[in-house]
Protein backbone atom coordinates (compact mmCIF):
# COMPACT_ATOMS: atom_id res chain seq x y z
CA UNK A 1 0.00 0.00 0.00
CA UNK A 2 1.31 3.46 -0.89
CA UNK A 3 1.65 5.86 2.03
CA UNK A 4 0.67 9.53 1.90
CA UNK A 5 0.88 12.40 4.39
CA UNK A 6 -0.95 15.65 5.08
CA UNK A 7 -0.05 18.33 7.61
CA UNK A 8 -1.43 21.41 5.86
CA UNK A 9 -1.56 24.53 8.00
CA UNK A 10 0.65 23.24 10.83
CA UNK A 11 2.33 26.61 11.15
CA UNK A 12 4.45 25.63 14.20
CA UNK A 13 5.87 22.47 12.64
CA UNK A 14 9.65 22.97 12.37
CA UNK A 15 11.01 19.61 11.31
CA UNK A 16 9.67 16.36 9.93
CA UNK A 17 11.28 13.01 9.22
CA UNK A 18 9.48 11.39 6.32
CA UNK A 19 9.52 7.58 6.36
CA UNK A 20 11.71 5.93 3.73
CA UNK A 21 8.66 4.00 2.46
CA UNK A 22 6.76 7.11 1.30
CA UNK A 23 6.30 7.22 -2.47
CA UNK A 24 3.95 10.20 -2.84
CA UNK A 25 3.52 13.57 -1.17
CA UNK A 26 0.00 14.60 -2.08
CA UNK A 27 -1.51 17.99 -2.92
CA UNK A 28 -1.15 20.62 -0.17
CA UNK A 29 0.44 18.08 2.20
CA UNK A 30 2.54 20.72 3.95
CA UNK A 31 0.81 23.84 2.64
CA UNK A 32 1.40 26.83 4.89
CA UNK A 33 3.78 25.07 7.29
CA UNK A 34 5.58 28.36 7.64
CA UNK A 35 8.03 27.23 10.35
CA UNK A 36 9.12 24.08 8.56
CA UNK A 37 12.85 24.46 8.03
CA UNK A 38 14.07 20.93 7.47
CA UNK A 39 12.71 18.17 5.22
CA UNK A 40 14.60 15.12 4.04
CA UNK A 41 12.81 13.45 1.16
CA UNK A 42 13.11 9.65 0.95
CA UNK A 43 14.90 7.91 -1.91
CA UNK A 44 11.73 6.04 -2.95
CA UNK A 45 9.66 9.21 -3.44
CA UNK A 46 8.29 9.53 -6.98
CA UNK A 47 5.65 12.29 -6.78
CA UNK A 48 5.36 15.74 -5.17
CA UNK A 49 1.83 17.10 -5.43
CA UNK A 50 0.45 20.54 -6.23
CA UNK A 51 1.12 23.09 -3.47
CA UNK A 52 2.75 20.34 -1.41
CA UNK A 53 5.20 22.78 0.20
CA UNK A 54 3.57 26.05 -0.85
CA UNK A 55 4.31 28.90 1.58
CA UNK A 56 6.78 26.85 3.62
CA UNK A 57 8.68 30.06 4.17
CA UNK A 58 11.41 28.69 6.45
CA UNK A 59 12.74 26.08 4.01
CA UNK A 60 16.24 27.08 2.87
CA UNK A 61 17.69 24.10 0.99
CA UNK A 62 16.04 21.49 -1.15
CA UNK A 63 17.33 18.32 -2.76
CA UNK A 64 14.87 16.37 -4.88
CA UNK A 65 15.90 12.69 -4.76
CA UNK A 66 16.71 10.78 -7.95
CA UNK A 67 13.52 8.73 -7.63
CA UNK A 68 11.20 11.74 -8.17
CA UNK A 69 9.56 11.86 -11.59
CA UNK A 70 6.87 14.51 -11.12
CA UNK A 71 6.72 17.85 -9.31
CA UNK A 72 3.27 19.36 -9.71
CA UNK A 73 2.21 23.00 -10.07
CA UNK A 74 2.82 25.44 -7.20
CA UNK A 75 4.77 22.79 -5.27
CA UNK A 76 7.17 25.36 -3.76
CA UNK A 77 5.25 28.55 -4.51
CA UNK A 78 6.29 31.41 -2.20
CA UNK A 79 8.93 29.42 -0.34
CA UNK A 80 10.69 32.69 0.29
CA UNK A 81 13.50 31.16 2.36
CA UNK A 82 14.71 28.79 -0.35
CA UNK A 83 18.29 29.53 -1.42
CA UNK A 84 19.57 26.32 -3.05
CA UNK A 85 17.71 23.69 -5.08
CA UNK A 86 18.91 20.49 -6.72
CA UNK A 87 16.38 18.68 -8.91
CA UNK A 88 16.50 14.98 -9.76
CA UNK A 89 17.46 13.61 -13.18
CA UNK A 90 14.02 12.09 -13.86
CA UNK A 91 11.99 15.30 -13.74
CA UNK A 92 11.00 16.45 -17.24
CA UNK A 93 8.99 19.59 -16.50
CA UNK A 94 9.20 22.57 -14.19
CA UNK A 95 5.46 23.10 -14.01
CA UNK A 96 3.41 26.26 -13.57
CA UNK A 97 4.39 28.44 -10.63
CA UNK A 98 6.58 25.71 -9.10
CA UNK A 99 9.06 28.25 -7.68
CA UNK A 100 6.87 31.35 -8.02
CA UNK A 101 7.97 34.14 -5.71
CA UNK A 102 10.98 32.32 -4.23
CA UNK A 103 12.64 35.67 -3.73
CA UNK A 104 15.81 34.39 -2.05
CA UNK A 105 16.53 31.58 -4.50
CA UNK A 106 20.15 32.00 -5.67
CA UNK A 107 21.14 28.61 -7.03
CA UNK A 108 19.23 25.92 -8.86
CA UNK A 109 20.61 22.88 -10.63
CA UNK A 110 18.42 21.71 -13.49
CA UNK A 111 18.93 18.14 -14.72
CA UNK A 112 19.56 17.16 -18.33
CA UNK A 113 16.08 15.62 -18.44
CA UNK A 114 14.16 18.94 -18.32
CA UNK A 115 12.10 19.51 -21.49
CA UNK A 116 9.72 22.29 -20.44
CA UNK A 117 9.79 25.27 -18.12
CA UNK A 118 6.16 26.28 -17.85
CA UNK A 119 4.26 29.51 -17.15
CA UNK A 120 5.42 31.52 -14.10
CA UNK A 121 7.85 28.75 -13.09
CA UNK A 122 10.45 31.18 -11.68
CA UNK A 123 8.28 34.31 -11.56
CA UNK A 124 9.87 37.01 -9.37
CA UNK A 125 12.81 34.92 -8.22
CA UNK A 126 14.57 38.19 -7.63
CA UNK A 127 17.84 36.76 -6.20
CA UNK A 128 18.49 34.34 -9.06
CA UNK A 129 21.64 35.48 -10.85
CA UNK A 130 22.31 32.58 -13.19
CA UNK A 131 20.58 29.43 -14.39
CA UNK A 132 22.09 26.90 -16.77
CA UNK A 133 19.45 25.62 -19.16
CA UNK A 134 19.99 22.00 -20.27
CA UNK A 135 20.21 20.87 -23.91
CA UNK A 136 17.05 18.80 -23.42
CA UNK A 137 14.90 21.94 -23.02
CA UNK A 138 12.41 22.72 -25.82
CA UNK A 139 9.93 25.18 -24.29
CA UNK A 140 10.26 28.28 -22.08
CA UNK A 141 6.75 29.28 -21.04
CA UNK A 142 4.99 32.61 -20.61
CA UNK A 143 6.36 34.70 -17.71
CA UNK A 144 8.80 31.87 -16.90
CA UNK A 145 11.52 34.22 -15.60
CA UNK A 146 9.43 37.38 -15.28
CA UNK A 147 10.90 39.82 -12.77
CA UNK A 148 14.10 37.87 -12.11
CA UNK A 149 15.79 41.17 -11.50
CA UNK A 150 19.30 39.81 -10.75
CA UNK A 151 19.53 37.49 -13.74
CA UNK A 152 22.40 38.79 -15.87
CA UNK A 153 23.15 36.33 -18.67
CA UNK A 154 20.93 34.01 -20.68
CA UNK A 155 22.11 31.37 -23.11
CA UNK A 156 19.21 29.54 -24.74
CA UNK A 157 20.29 26.01 -25.73
CA UNK A 158 19.99 24.80 -29.34
CA UNK A 159 17.13 22.48 -28.38
CA UNK A 160 14.69 25.29 -27.54
CA UNK A 161 12.03 26.17 -30.13
CA UNK A 162 9.61 28.31 -28.09
CA UNK A 163 10.07 31.36 -25.84
CA UNK A 164 6.76 32.50 -24.38
CA UNK A 165 5.18 35.89 -23.79
CA UNK A 166 7.02 38.05 -21.22
CA UNK A 167 9.35 35.13 -20.51
CA UNK A 168 12.18 37.44 -19.40
CA UNK A 169 10.23 40.65 -18.91
CA UNK A 170 11.63 43.02 -16.24
CA UNK A 171 14.88 41.12 -15.87
CA UNK A 172 16.43 44.51 -15.27
CA UNK A 173 20.07 43.36 -14.94
CA UNK A 174 19.97 41.11 -17.99
CA UNK A 175 22.80 42.23 -20.26
CA UNK A 176 23.51 39.30 -22.62
CA UNK A 177 21.11 37.05 -24.52
CA UNK A 178 21.86 34.46 -27.18
CA UNK A 179 18.96 33.10 -29.26
CA UNK A 180 19.81 29.90 -31.18
CA UNK A 181 18.86 28.91 -34.70
CA UNK A 182 16.33 26.38 -33.37
CA UNK A 183 13.89 29.07 -32.16
CA UNK A 184 10.63 29.25 -34.14
CA UNK A 185 8.63 31.51 -31.80
CA UNK A 186 9.53 34.46 -29.56
CA UNK A 187 6.53 35.67 -27.57
CA UNK A 188 5.12 39.14 -27.09
CA UNK A 189 7.28 41.41 -24.86
CA UNK A 190 9.56 38.45 -24.14
CA UNK A 191 12.48 40.75 -23.28
CA UNK A 192 10.60 43.96 -22.53
CA UNK A 193 11.70 46.05 -19.56
CA UNK A 194 15.32 44.91 -19.70
CA UNK A 195 17.15 48.26 -19.63
CA UNK A 196 20.62 46.70 -19.12
CA UNK A 197 20.42 44.56 -22.26
CA UNK A 198 23.39 45.50 -24.44
CA UNK A 199 24.21 42.29 -26.34
CA UNK A 200 21.45 40.37 -28.09
CA UNK A 201 22.51 37.67 -30.53
CA UNK A 202 19.75 36.07 -32.56
CA UNK A 203 20.64 33.20 -34.89
CA UNK A 204 17.05 32.12 -35.54
CA UNK A 205 15.85 32.31 -39.11
CA UNK A 206 12.44 33.98 -39.44
CA UNK A 207 11.06 33.22 -35.97
CA UNK A 208 7.42 34.06 -35.41
CA UNK A 209 7.23 37.28 -33.35
CA UNK A 210 3.81 38.78 -32.44
CA UNK A 211 3.23 42.33 -33.63
Amino acid sequence: MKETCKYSGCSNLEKIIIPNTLERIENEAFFGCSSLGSVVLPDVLTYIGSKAFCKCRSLTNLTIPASVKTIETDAYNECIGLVDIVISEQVKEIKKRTFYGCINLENISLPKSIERIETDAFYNCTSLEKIELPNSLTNIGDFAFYGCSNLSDVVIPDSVTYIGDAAYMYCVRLSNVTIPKSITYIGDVAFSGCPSLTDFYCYAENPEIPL
Side-chain angles (χ1 to χ4, degrees):
M1 187 171 110
K2 294 182 179 179
E3 297 183 38
T4 62
C5 59
K6 190 162 187 177
Y7 299 93
S8 179
C10 295
S11 58
N12 292 316
L13 183 66
E14 296 180 0
K15 183 178 180 180
I16 187 165
I17 299 173
I18 297 176
N20 58 13
T21 54
L22 190 74
E23 296 179 11
R24 294 173 62 92
I25 296 177
E26 299 294 350
N27 296 347
E28 301 186 15
F30 298 98
F31 181 97
C33 292
S34 55
S35 298
L36 186 62
S38 177
V39 177
V40 178
L41 302 177
D43 290 338
V44 297
L45 190 70
T46 62
Y47 177 89
I48 299 173
S50 177
K51 300 183 181 179
F53 294 94
C54 182
K55 298 188 178 182
C56 290
R57 293 173 175 168
S58 296
L59 276 179
T60 56
N61 299 288
L62 175 66
T63 299
I64 308 294
S67 55
V68 173
K69 297 179 180 179
T70 302
I71 304 172
E72 290 292 356
T73 60
D74 296 287
Y76 295 92
N77 189 320
E78 291 189 36
C79 289
I80 61 174
L82 270 180
V83 176
D84 297 290
I85 300 171
V86 178
I87 298 177
S88 75
E89 289 289 344
Q90 294 201 68
V91 175
K92 293 186 177 181
E93 298 175 326
I94 305 297
K95 295 194 175 182
K96 293 179 180 180
R97 300 176 303 277
T98 299
F99 299 106
Y100 182 107
C102 293
I103 58 174
N104 287 303
L105 180 61
E106 296 177 2
N107 304 297
I108 182 164
S109 177
L110 295 180
K112 296 177 182 178
S113 56
I114 294 292
E115 297 175 359
R116 296 174 60 88
I117 296 175
E118 295 191 348
T119 301
D120 295 334
F122 295 97
Y123 188 106
N124 266 359
C125 291
T126 54
S127 297
L128 189 65
E129 295 182 6
K130 184 178 180 181
I131 185 167
E132 187 171 340
L133 302 177
N135 289 326
S136 54
L137 187 66
T138 62
N139 186 292
I140 298 172
D142 298 345
F143 301 93
F145 295 97
Y146 180 102
C148 291
S149 53
N150 272 302
L151 195 64
S152 58
D153 296 292
V154 172
V155 177
I156 311 292
D158 292 339
S159 53
V160 174
T161 60
Y162 182 96
I163 299 173
D165 296 346
Y168 290 93
M169 191 172 185
Y170 296 131
C171 292
V172 294
R173 291 189 62 190
L174 188 62
S175 59
N176 298 284
V177 175
T178 301
I179 304 291
K181 189 176 180 179
S182 59
I183 294 291
T184 59
Y185 181 87
I186 300 174
D188 191 26
V189 297
F191 296 94
S192 180
C194 298
S196 300
L197 189 58
T198 56
D199 297 297
F200 189 93
Y201 302 97
C202 184
Y203 298 99
E205 298 178 1
N206 302 316
E208 181 182 348
I209 302 174
L211 297 176

